[in-house]
Amino acid sequence: MSRYPIHQSGLFRLRSIGQLARLLRYDSKTLRALSDVGKHYHVWPETDANGKERIIEAPQGQLKVLHRRLVRIVNRIQLPEYLHSGRKKRSYITNAEAHVSSRTLIKLDIRKFYPSTSTEAFVRGLRDYFECGVEVADLLGDLCTFEGHIPTGSPFSMMAAYVALKSRFDRAAAAAKARGNVFTVYVDDMTLSGSLVNNRDRDLIKSIFKGSGLDLHKFKYYGPTTAKSVTGTILRDGRKHLPNRRHLKIATNLALLESLPQGAEKERLYQSVRGQMIEASQLEPSYAHRLRRIE
Protein backbone atom coordinates (compact mmCIF):
# COMPACT_ATOMS: atom_id res chain seq x y z
CA MET A 1 0.00 0.00 0.00
CA SER A 2 1.46 3.34 -1.07
CA ARG A 3 1.58 6.16 1.45
CA TYR A 4 1.18 9.82 0.74
CA PRO A 5 1.75 13.14 2.51
CA ILE A 6 -0.82 14.39 5.01
CA HIS A 7 -2.08 17.11 2.65
CA GLN A 8 -3.24 14.40 0.23
CA SER A 9 -5.37 12.64 2.86
CA GLY A 10 -9.13 12.67 2.48
CA LEU A 11 -9.34 14.06 6.01
CA PHE A 12 -7.08 17.01 5.32
CA ARG A 13 -8.83 20.41 5.59
CA LEU A 14 -12.32 18.91 5.63
CA ARG A 15 -14.66 21.79 6.27
CA SER A 16 -18.18 20.35 6.05
CA ILE A 17 -20.13 17.44 7.51
CA GLY A 18 -21.24 16.58 3.97
CA GLN A 19 -17.62 16.10 2.88
CA LEU A 20 -16.94 13.94 5.95
CA ALA A 21 -20.04 11.83 5.28
CA ARG A 22 -18.93 11.17 1.69
CA LEU A 23 -15.42 10.23 2.87
CA LEU A 24 -16.80 7.75 5.43
CA ARG A 25 -19.55 6.50 3.07
CA TYR A 26 -22.47 7.53 5.26
CA ASP A 27 -25.05 10.24 4.88
CA SER A 28 -24.93 13.23 7.22
CA LYS A 29 -28.03 12.15 9.13
CA THR A 30 -26.52 8.73 9.89
CA LEU A 31 -23.25 10.30 11.04
CA ARG A 32 -25.06 12.53 13.48
CA ALA A 33 -27.10 9.58 14.76
CA LEU A 34 -23.92 7.53 15.28
CA SER A 35 -22.39 10.39 17.24
CA ASP A 36 -24.81 9.55 20.06
CA VAL A 37 -22.27 6.90 20.98
CA GLY A 38 -23.93 5.71 24.17
CA LYS A 39 -26.32 3.72 21.96
CA HIS A 40 -23.53 2.14 19.92
CA TYR A 41 -21.07 0.79 22.51
CA HIS A 42 -20.87 -2.46 24.41
CA VAL A 43 -19.12 -2.02 27.77
CA TRP A 44 -17.97 -4.84 30.04
CA PRO A 45 -15.25 -5.63 32.61
CA GLU A 46 -12.38 -7.91 31.60
CA THR A 47 -9.77 -9.55 33.83
CA ASP A 48 -6.27 -10.13 32.43
CA ALA A 49 -3.90 -13.03 33.16
CA ASN A 50 -2.54 -11.15 36.18
CA GLY A 51 -5.98 -10.76 37.72
CA LYS A 52 -6.18 -7.05 36.92
CA GLU A 53 -9.59 -5.81 35.80
CA ARG A 54 -10.18 -3.17 33.16
CA ILE A 55 -13.27 -1.86 31.42
CA ILE A 56 -13.62 -2.61 27.70
CA GLU A 57 -15.54 -0.02 25.66
CA ALA A 58 -16.17 -1.42 22.18
CA PRO A 59 -18.11 0.25 19.35
CA GLN A 60 -20.73 -1.93 17.70
CA GLY A 61 -22.40 -2.19 14.31
CA GLN A 62 -22.12 0.77 11.98
CA LEU A 63 -19.96 2.73 14.41
CA LYS A 64 -17.37 -0.06 14.46
CA VAL A 65 -17.38 -0.10 10.65
CA LEU A 66 -16.80 3.66 10.69
CA HIS A 67 -13.85 3.28 13.08
CA ARG A 68 -12.32 0.64 10.82
CA ARG A 69 -12.64 2.98 7.83
CA LEU A 70 -10.82 5.69 9.78
CA VAL A 71 -8.02 3.23 10.54
CA ARG A 72 -7.53 2.65 6.81
CA ILE A 73 -7.65 6.38 6.04
CA VAL A 74 -5.05 7.34 8.64
CA ASN A 75 -2.86 4.34 7.80
CA ARG A 76 -2.55 5.54 4.21
CA ILE A 77 -0.64 8.67 5.12
CA GLN A 78 3.07 8.89 5.77
CA LEU A 79 3.59 8.26 9.48
CA PRO A 80 6.68 9.10 11.53
CA GLU A 81 9.48 6.58 11.91
CA TYR A 82 9.10 6.51 15.69
CA LEU A 83 5.53 5.13 15.61
CA HIS A 84 5.28 1.32 15.76
CA SER A 85 1.67 0.73 16.86
CA GLY A 86 -1.60 0.91 14.98
CA ARG A 87 0.01 0.58 11.54
CA LYS A 88 0.82 -2.13 9.04
CA LYS A 89 4.27 -3.75 8.91
CA ARG A 90 5.07 -2.43 12.39
CA SER A 91 4.75 -4.29 15.69
CA TYR A 92 6.12 -4.64 19.18
CA ILE A 93 9.04 -6.48 17.56
CA THR A 94 9.99 -3.64 15.18
CA ASN A 95 9.66 -1.27 18.13
CA ALA A 96 12.24 -3.28 20.10
CA GLU A 97 14.45 -3.76 17.04
CA ALA A 98 14.90 0.02 16.72
CA HIS A 99 16.89 -0.11 19.99
CA VAL A 100 18.77 -3.37 19.49
CA SER A 101 22.20 -1.73 19.04
CA SER A 102 21.90 0.87 21.82
CA ARG A 103 24.13 0.67 24.91
CA THR A 104 21.72 2.38 27.32
CA LEU A 105 17.95 2.60 27.36
CA ILE A 106 15.10 4.28 29.22
CA LYS A 107 11.45 3.18 29.24
CA LEU A 108 8.38 5.11 30.37
CA ASP A 109 4.74 4.40 29.86
CA ILE A 110 1.51 6.35 30.15
CA ARG A 111 -0.76 5.28 32.99
CA LYS A 112 -4.32 4.39 31.88
CA PHE A 113 -3.45 5.50 28.38
CA TYR A 114 -6.83 5.49 26.62
CA PRO A 115 -8.96 6.63 29.58
CA SER A 116 -6.47 9.47 30.17
CA THR A 117 -6.39 10.66 26.54
CA SER A 118 -9.24 13.11 26.26
CA THR A 119 -11.77 13.93 23.58
CA GLU A 120 -10.47 17.49 23.73
CA ALA A 121 -6.92 16.35 22.91
CA PHE A 122 -8.19 14.25 19.98
CA VAL A 123 -10.24 17.14 18.56
CA ARG A 124 -7.27 19.48 18.94
CA GLY A 125 -5.10 16.93 17.12
CA LEU A 126 -7.56 16.77 14.23
CA ARG A 127 -7.49 20.55 13.92
CA ASP A 128 -3.70 20.87 14.26
CA TYR A 129 -2.63 17.77 12.30
CA PHE A 130 -5.34 17.40 9.65
CA GLU A 131 -6.44 21.07 9.76
CA CYS A 132 -10.07 19.96 9.96
CA GLY A 133 -12.77 22.57 10.36
CA VAL A 134 -14.29 23.06 13.80
CA GLU A 135 -17.60 21.35 12.98
CA VAL A 136 -15.87 18.34 11.39
CA ALA A 137 -13.36 17.95 14.23
CA ASP A 138 -16.10 18.19 16.86
CA LEU A 139 -18.25 15.57 15.14
CA LEU A 140 -15.29 13.20 14.74
CA GLY A 141 -14.55 13.75 18.42
CA ASP A 142 -18.10 12.62 19.22
CA LEU A 143 -17.86 9.66 16.83
CA CYS A 144 -14.46 8.38 17.95
CA THR A 145 -14.40 8.91 21.72
CA PHE A 146 -16.50 7.59 24.60
CA GLU A 147 -17.47 9.49 27.73
CA GLY A 148 -14.74 12.08 27.19
CA HIS A 149 -11.81 9.82 26.32
CA ILE A 150 -10.39 7.41 23.75
CA PRO A 151 -12.29 4.11 24.07
CA THR A 152 -10.40 1.02 25.24
CA GLY A 153 -11.86 -1.42 22.72
CA SER A 154 -12.04 0.35 19.36
CA PRO A 155 -9.98 -0.67 16.30
CA PHE A 156 -9.26 3.06 15.89
CA SER A 157 -8.09 3.66 19.49
CA MET A 158 -4.35 3.43 18.81
CA MET A 159 -4.46 5.84 15.88
CA ALA A 160 -6.89 8.18 17.66
CA ALA A 161 -4.50 8.39 20.62
CA TYR A 162 -1.62 9.06 18.23
CA VAL A 163 -3.56 11.92 16.60
CA ALA A 164 -4.33 13.33 20.05
CA LEU A 165 -0.70 13.23 21.20
CA LYS A 166 1.17 13.66 17.92
CA SER A 167 2.53 17.12 18.75
CA ARG A 168 4.06 15.87 22.01
CA PHE A 169 5.42 12.67 20.45
CA ASP A 170 6.95 14.75 17.64
CA ARG A 171 8.67 17.05 20.16
CA ALA A 172 10.00 14.08 22.13
CA ALA A 173 11.35 12.45 18.95
CA ALA A 174 12.98 15.72 17.83
CA ALA A 175 14.57 16.22 21.27
CA ALA A 176 15.92 12.66 21.21
CA LYS A 177 17.34 13.09 17.70
CA ALA A 178 19.03 16.35 18.70
CA ARG A 179 20.87 14.43 21.44
CA GLY A 180 21.80 11.55 19.12
CA ASN A 181 19.26 9.17 20.63
CA VAL A 182 16.45 6.95 19.29
CA PHE A 183 12.84 7.47 20.39
CA THR A 184 9.94 5.10 19.67
CA VAL A 185 6.29 4.77 20.64
CA TYR A 186 4.33 1.53 20.89
CA VAL A 187 0.79 2.18 22.22
CA ASP A 188 1.47 3.57 25.72
CA ASP A 189 5.17 2.62 25.85
CA MET A 190 7.82 5.21 25.06
CA THR A 191 11.41 4.03 24.69
CA LEU A 192 14.51 6.16 24.46
CA SER A 193 17.96 4.74 23.80
CA GLY A 194 21.45 5.74 22.79
CA SER A 195 25.09 5.52 23.70
CA LEU A 196 24.49 7.24 27.04
CA VAL A 197 20.89 8.19 27.89
CA ASN A 198 20.35 9.44 31.42
CA ASN A 199 17.95 11.21 33.78
CA ARG A 200 18.28 14.41 31.78
CA ASP A 201 16.74 12.65 28.78
CA ARG A 202 13.97 11.21 30.94
CA ASP A 203 13.20 14.60 32.47
CA LEU A 204 13.12 16.20 29.04
CA ILE A 205 10.38 13.80 27.90
CA LYS A 206 8.49 14.36 31.14
CA SER A 207 8.63 18.12 30.60
CA ILE A 208 7.18 17.72 27.10
CA PHE A 209 4.18 15.89 28.55
CA LYS A 210 3.68 18.32 31.41
CA GLY A 211 0.19 19.79 31.30
CA SER A 212 -1.13 16.99 29.08
CA GLY A 213 -3.16 15.39 31.85
CA LEU A 214 -1.17 12.18 31.34
CA ASP A 215 0.82 10.43 34.05
CA LEU A 216 4.17 9.01 32.91
CA HIS A 217 5.25 6.13 35.12
CA LYS A 218 7.07 2.77 35.21
CA PHE A 219 10.37 4.50 34.55
CA LYS A 220 13.10 1.92 33.94
CA TYR A 221 16.78 2.44 33.12
CA TYR A 222 19.03 -0.20 31.52
CA GLY A 223 22.79 0.23 31.55
CA PRO A 224 25.42 -0.89 28.99
CA THR A 225 25.88 -4.43 30.37
CA THR A 226 22.22 -5.16 31.16
CA ALA A 227 19.80 -7.20 29.05
CA LYS A 228 17.00 -4.83 28.07
CA SER A 229 13.29 -5.66 28.04
CA VAL A 230 11.39 -3.67 25.40
CA THR A 231 7.76 -4.39 24.47
CA GLY A 232 7.91 -8.13 25.11
CA THR A 233 11.37 -8.56 23.61
CA ILE A 234 14.74 -9.07 25.28
CA LEU A 235 17.68 -7.17 23.73
CA ARG A 236 21.06 -8.65 24.52
CA ASP A 237 24.41 -8.69 22.69
CA GLY A 238 22.96 -6.80 19.73
CA ARG A 239 20.24 -9.42 19.15
CA LYS A 240 16.54 -9.94 19.91
CA HIS A 241 15.49 -12.77 22.23
CA LEU A 242 12.27 -14.29 23.52
CA PRO A 243 11.59 -13.61 27.22
CA ASN A 244 12.04 -16.61 29.52
CA ARG A 245 8.38 -16.58 30.54
CA ARG A 246 7.36 -17.17 26.92
CA HIS A 247 9.89 -19.99 26.52
CA LEU A 248 8.38 -21.56 29.62
CA LYS A 249 4.81 -21.12 28.43
CA ILE A 250 5.56 -22.82 25.12
CA ALA A 251 7.45 -25.67 26.81
CA THR A 252 4.57 -26.22 29.26
CA ASN A 253 1.99 -26.25 26.48
CA LEU A 254 4.07 -28.65 24.36
CA ALA A 255 4.35 -31.06 27.29
CA LEU A 256 0.59 -30.85 27.88
CA LEU A 257 -0.08 -31.33 24.17
CA GLU A 258 1.96 -34.52 24.19
CA SER A 259 -0.03 -35.91 27.12
CA LEU A 260 -3.51 -35.23 25.75
CA PRO A 261 -5.49 -37.84 23.81
CA GLN A 262 -6.73 -37.04 20.32
CA GLY A 263 -9.81 -34.85 20.38
CA ALA A 264 -11.17 -31.32 20.37
CA GLU A 265 -9.23 -30.22 23.45
CA LYS A 266 -5.92 -31.35 21.95
CA GLU A 267 -6.73 -29.61 18.65
CA ARG A 268 -7.53 -26.33 20.43
CA LEU A 269 -4.26 -26.49 22.38
CA TYR A 270 -2.33 -27.39 19.21
CA GLN A 271 -3.67 -24.32 17.39
CA SER A 272 -2.82 -22.13 20.39
CA VAL A 273 0.76 -23.39 20.82
CA ARG A 274 1.27 -23.31 17.05
CA GLY A 275 0.41 -19.60 17.06
CA GLN A 276 2.76 -19.03 20.00
CA MET A 277 5.62 -20.76 18.17
CA ILE A 278 5.02 -18.88 14.91
CA GLU A 279 5.19 -15.60 16.83
CA ALA A 280 8.24 -16.76 18.80
CA SER A 281 10.05 -17.66 15.57
CA GLN A 282 10.18 -13.94 14.70
CA LEU A 283 12.57 -13.54 17.63
CA GLU A 284 14.09 -17.04 17.86
CA PRO A 285 14.36 -18.70 14.42
CA SER A 286 14.87 -22.12 16.05
CA TYR A 287 11.15 -22.18 16.81
CA ALA A 288 10.38 -22.47 13.09
CA HIS A 289 12.29 -25.78 13.01
CA ARG A 290 10.63 -26.98 16.21
CA LEU A 291 7.21 -26.13 14.80
CA ARG A 292 7.76 -28.33 11.77
CA ARG A 293 8.28 -31.31 14.09
CA ILE A 294 4.76 -31.04 15.54
CA GLU A 295 2.91 -30.20 12.34
Side-chain angles (χ1 to χ4, degrees), residues 215-268:
D215 180 18
L216 305 190
H217 73 141
K218 292 186 180 178
F219 165 71
K220 179 81 175 183
Y221 171 79
Y222 296 93
T225 60
T226 308
K228 301 161 180 63
S229 175
V230 180
T231 52
T233 305
I234 302 300
L235 305 180
R236 185 175 62 247
D237 303 324
R239 297 175 61 188
K240 306 185 298 293
H241 300 272
L242 197 70
N244 287 338
R245 67 180 182 278
R246 290 174 62 191
H247 282 298
L248 179 60
K249 183 176 182 179
I250 291 172
T252 301
N253 284 339
L254 284 172
L256 180 58
L257 185 68
E258 188 71 23
S259 69
L260 287 174
Q262 293 296 328
E265 184 180 358
K266 183 164 186 163
E267 178 61 23
R268 283 193 297 270

Side-chain angles (χ1 to χ4, degrees), residues 70-283:
L70 283 167
V71 171
R72 291 194 292 271
I73 290 167
V74 177
N75 250 308
R76 289 182 186 134
I77 65 174
Q78 293 169 356
L79 295 167
E81 190 65 25
Y82 66 72
L83 184 67
H84 289 262
S85 52
R87 58 188 296 191
K88 290 186 176 181
K89 297 184 179 179
R90 294 293 183 96
S91 67
Y92 71 93
I93 294 175
T94 63
N95 181 73
E97 192 169 28
H99 305 280
V100 72
S101 301
S102 296
R103 296 180 69 249
T104 57
L105 183 145
I106 289 172
K107 295 194 308 184
L108 306 98
D109 81 13
I110 300 172
R111 189 192 303 273
K112 296 183 178 178
F113 184 44
Y114 294 145
S116 298
T117 304
S118 68
T119 300
E120 180 184 359
F122 175 63
V123 170
R124 185 167 56 246
L126 288 169
R127 295 189 64 188
D128 292 345
Y129 183 27
F130 286 99
E131 299 183 24
C132 291
V134 173
E135 190 179 20
V136 169
D138 285 347
L139 180 56
L140 281 169
D142 290 339
L143 288 164
C144 298
T145 66
F146 180 76
E147 296 187 348
H149 63 264
I150 302 295
T152 56
S154 165
F156 187 54
S157 291
M158 280 192 282
M159 292 311 298
Y162 163 68
V163 170
L165 299 174
K166 181 182 184 299
S167 63
R168 295 182 192 271
F169 287 147
D170 283 354
R171 287 165 58 196
K177 185 176 180 180
R179 288 175 56 78
N181 297 323
V182 176
F183 173 80
T184 63
V185 173
Y186 185 78
V187 193
D188 59 346
D189 291 320
M190 291 183 285
T191 307
L192 180 69
S193 70
S195 60
L196 190 62
V197 294
N198 53 38
N199 287 347
R200 178 182 173 187
D201 298 289
R202 176 201 63 187
D203 292 343
L204 184 55
I205 290 180
K206 284 188 170 184
S207 72
I208 289 170
F209 281 81
K210 188 175 181 179
S212 66
L214 302 174
D215 180 18
L216 305 190
H217 73 141
K218 292 186 180 178
F219 165 71
K220 179 81 175 183
Y221 171 79
Y222 296 93
T225 60
T226 308
K228 301 161 180 63
S229 175
V230 180
T231 52
T233 305
I234 302 300
L235 305 180
R236 185 175 62 247
D237 303 324
R239 297 175 61 188
K240 306 185 298 293
H241 300 272
L242 197 70
N244 287 338
R245 67 180 182 278
R246 290 174 62 191
H247 282 298
L248 179 60
K249 183 176 182 179
I250 291 172
T252 301
N253 284 339
L254 284 172
L256 180 58
L257 185 68
E258 188 71 23
S259 69
L260 287 174
Q262 293 296 328
E265 184 180 358
K266 183 164 186 163
E267 178 61 23
R268 283 193 297 270
L269 181 59
Y270 167 74
Q271 293 299 334
S272 176
V273 74
R274 181 176 181 273
Q276 293 164 16
M277 293 176 76
I278 289 172
E279 185 176 11
S281 68
Q282 297 179 67
L283 297 175

